[in-house]
Amino acid sequence: MKIFKFGGASVKDAEGVKNVAVVLGTQGFQKCLVVVSAMGKTTNALEKVVEDYFAKQDYQNKLEEIKQNHLQIATALFAPNHQVFNRINEFFDEATSFLQRNKSPHYNFVYDQVVSCGEMVSSVILSEYLQEIGFPNFWCDAREYLKTDSNYREGTINWEETEKRIKTLSTEECYVTQGFIGSDENSFTVTLGREGSDYSAAIFAYCLNAEALTIWKDVPGVMTGDPRKFQNVSLLENISYEEAIEMAYYGASVIHPKTLQPLKQKNIPFYVKSFLEPTKKGTKVGANLEKNNQESFILKENQHLLRIATRDFSFIAEEHLSLIFSLLAKHKIKISLMQNSAISLDLCLEDTYHMIDLLVNDLTEGFQTELVRNVSLYTIRNAKIEEAPKLYPNKNILLEQVSQKILQVVIN
């Protein structure tokens, strides 16, 4: 069985949905499971609905606008009396009803119940369209298969229960399901973190012992750098699991960090290909591939540089580090780069949930802190150290670190 994953850019409109069918036709639509993300920028739009709901602003009009956009896409794909229109309305009615009756003050819980609507609707539209053009498939609710804890917005997979459920799917059929979402023991929706759809696809691949997983992007494959940010980049046709994991760790956006471990455990080949050019080779990630020594470039923007020092200028000792890391975990802030001296600790941080001010407030009880917001982190693998400054001319270098041909520089 093969697993295919399509992101939001591939299904952003009716033409995108039609193109997904073309792509699947080139691959042979049999014995496969298709994982799809929310359409276009739907997740961002639904996030704004949740923000307005908690700000006690008018969220209903925004939700209605999102619904109408999906109905408009469906109108370009189906006859007016098709059942898909009722199904779209049902999902948005469920989201509206939930917000009207909700009593929970917990933002992350509410977020997961509402934002997941995007994946549900996109998967129904794709499934029904494929059925309409002669690609028979079963639509399935990923929440019935991916079971998690109740860590809303960052769910941890219950592998034993998840594998048991996914193994009930037939490897002789075709399915369309959602990325990004699962459910806890109380059947509440739990999301797996932003960009978690790739991870969903890897979970299905692992549990079904898939022949391969292909993730379809709007780029030719894994490049030596984001072509929108760097010049003269090239395609990496073959890379090892270890290299891909390293690239994901340093922030290569084309690969989700969690995606690779389940695949590596079972040696399931992983392809990154372009939905715009589906017959082209793309990138293969697998085992026992020769190490690639090409210089590659990764840029992480919207980072924060936090310098932490003891108030009495004593050493940053183990008990200090323990407290600092516990506070980072508490506020779900991730470290992109760390550098320490005897009396200070520099952290380049990724603040997905906008918790940096709360972290700094907690730290100032015992430490001196200095925060520089909105910095960029450049990572160069297999770096030609002497040529690196050409990448960031006239920039203020705040931090620099070199280790085993990996150069990392924080600038603003």
Side-chain angles (χ1 to χ4, degrees):
M1 192 175 202
K2 295 181 179 179
I3 311 296
F4 300 117
K5 184 266 173 176
F6 292 89
S10 64
V11 289
K12 65 181 180 181
D13 52 26
E15 290 306 310
V17 174
K18 291 177 182 178
N19 185 64
V20 167
V22 172
V23 172
L24 290 171
T26 68
Q27 305 301 302
F29 191 74
Q30 64 254 342
K31 298 181 182 179
C32 67
L33 182 141
V34 179
V35 175
V36 64
S37 301
M39 292 179 149
K41 300 296 183 182
T42 298
T43 299
N44 291 343
L46 288 167
E47 286 179 336
K48 189 69 172 91
V49 168
V50 177
E51 287 177 21
D52 288 352
Y53 170 78
F54 276 96
K56 302 193 182 306
Q57 297 176 2
D58 177 21
Y59 65 87
Q60 285 108 328
N61 283 335
K62 284 191 177 65
L63 195 55
E64 179 65 23
E65 185 180 326
I66 299 167
K67 181 176 84 169
Q68 291 303 322
N69 181 52
H70 284 80
L71 290 171
Q72 185 177 357
I73 291 171
T75 299
L77 296 170
F78 303 96
N81 60 347
H82 197 282
Q83 65 173 351
V84 73
F85 294 99
N86 287 333
R87 297 187 72 185
I88 292 170
N89 281 313
E90 285 171 5
F91 283 122
F92 281 102
D93 288 347
E94 283 178 17
T96 300
S97 175
F98 168 78
L99 289 171
Q100 288 173 344
R101 69 177 190 275
N102 173 61
K103 303 297 182 187
S104 174
H106 297 295
Y107 190 98
N108 290 347
F109 169 74
V110 174
Y111 176 102
D112 280 3
Q113 311 320 303
V114 174
V115 170
S116 55
C117 176
E119 274 70 20
M120 304 305 291
V121 176
S122 67
S123 62
V124 160
I125 291 174
L126 179 60
S127 174
E128 292 285 359
Y129 179 72
L130 292 174
Q131 199 78 35
E132 193 80 356
I133 64 169
F135 286 6
N137 68 91
F138 295 98
W139 178 86
C140 58
D141 187 338
R143 297 173 297 187
E144 296 296 323
Y145 298 92
L146 272 64
K147 301 303 291 184
T148 73
D149 60 9
S150 297
N151 186 21
Y152 299 104
R153 295 185 74 179
E154 286 280 355
T156 299
I157 294 293
N158 177 335
W159 281 96
E160 183 178 355
E161 183 63 23
T162 294
E163 189 165 12
K164 182 174 75 174
R165 289 172 178 247
I166 289 177
K167 282 186 179 297
T168 63
L169 297 172
S170 170
T171 55
E172 300 296 313
E173 302 289 351
C174 290
Y175 299 92
V176 175
T177 191
Q178 311 79 39
F180 182 53
I181 62 174
S183 67
D184 63 16
E185 62 181 3
N186 295 313
S187 295
F188 288 118
T189 304
V190 181
T191 62
L192 306 180
R194 284 302 300 262
E195 309 302 327
S197 292
D198 290 3
Y199 184 39
S200 297
I203 294 166
F204 278 106
Y206 176 91
C207 295
L208 291 168
N209 295 311
E211 176 186 334
L213 165 62
T214 303
I215 291 180
W216 298 93
K217 302 271 188 181
D218 57 357
V219 292
V222 179
M223 313 289 287
T224 55
D226 186 335
R228 294 164 295 189
K229 308 268 179 71
F230 299 96
Q231 296 179 341
N232 303 319
V233 296
S234 58
L235 177 69
L236 296 169
E237 292 188 355
N238 296 283
I239 55 177
S240 67
Y241 289 119
E242 290 78 11
E243 286 180 277
I245 290 168
E246 184 179 272
M247 292 177 73
Y249 171 79
Y250 287 121
S253 59
V254 76
I255 307 171
H256 188 271
K258 292 181 180 177
T259 302
L260 294 150
Q261 286 293 355
L263 304 175
K264 184 177 185 297
Q265 286 184 41
K266 290 192 175 180
N267 281 340
I268 297 170
F270 170 45
Y271 296 90
V272 181
K273 301 179 74 173
S274 169
F275 60 76
L276 301 173
E277 300 176 297
T279 58
K280 294 227 172 148
K281 186 175 180 181
T283 298
K284 178 183 178 180
V285 181
N288 303 318
L289 295 177
E290 188 176 340
K291 182 173 175 57
N292 193 298
N293 292 315
Q294 283 182 264
E295 193 174 37
S296 57
F297 313 93
I298 300 164
L299 173 62
K300 292 181 79 171
E301 298 176 296
N302 304 313
Q303 304 283 298
H304 304 298
L305 182 62
L306 179 61
R307 176 160 292 163
I308 305 167
T310 56
R311 291 192 175 278
D312 60 1
F313 296 100
S314 61
F315 292 156
I316 293 280
E318 287 77 8
E319 63 268 21
H320 299 127
L321 293 173
S322 177
L323 174 58
I324 291 166
F325 285 123
S326 69
L327 290 173
L328 287 164
K330 171 186 172 184
H331 296 299
K332 297 185 177 181
I333 295 175
K334 295 181 180 177
I335 301 173
S336 299
L337 175 65
M338 178 173 66
Q339 189 176 94
N340 66 292
S341 67
I343 60 172
S344 69
L345 177 68
D346 289 338
L347 301 173
C348 184
L349 301 172
E350 186 168 335
D351 181 25
T352 304
Y353 304 120
H354 309 295
M355 303 290 279
I356 193 74
D357 290 326
L358 293 175
L359 171 67
V360 171
N361 186 61
D362 284 351
L363 285 169
T364 50
E365 293 180 16
F367 301 92
Q368 290 182 336
T369 60
E370 179 185 342
L371 179 66
V372 183
R373 301 176 187 270
N374 299 318
V375 300
S376 296
L377 171 62
Y378 282 87
T379 300
I380 308 174
R381 300 175 64 254
N382 303 310
K384 299 173 184 175
I385 305 296
E386 65 283 358
E387 297 180 12
K390 295 177 184 177
L391 287 172
Y392 36 86
N394 306 316
K395 296 290 186 179
N396 182 27
I397 297 177
L398 303 173
L399 192 68
E400 187 174 50
Q401 187 163 284
V402 181
S403 174
Q404 296 180 337
K405 284 196 171 183
I406 295 173
L407 170 64
Q408 292 188 281
V409 182
V410 178
I411 64 170
N412 70 354

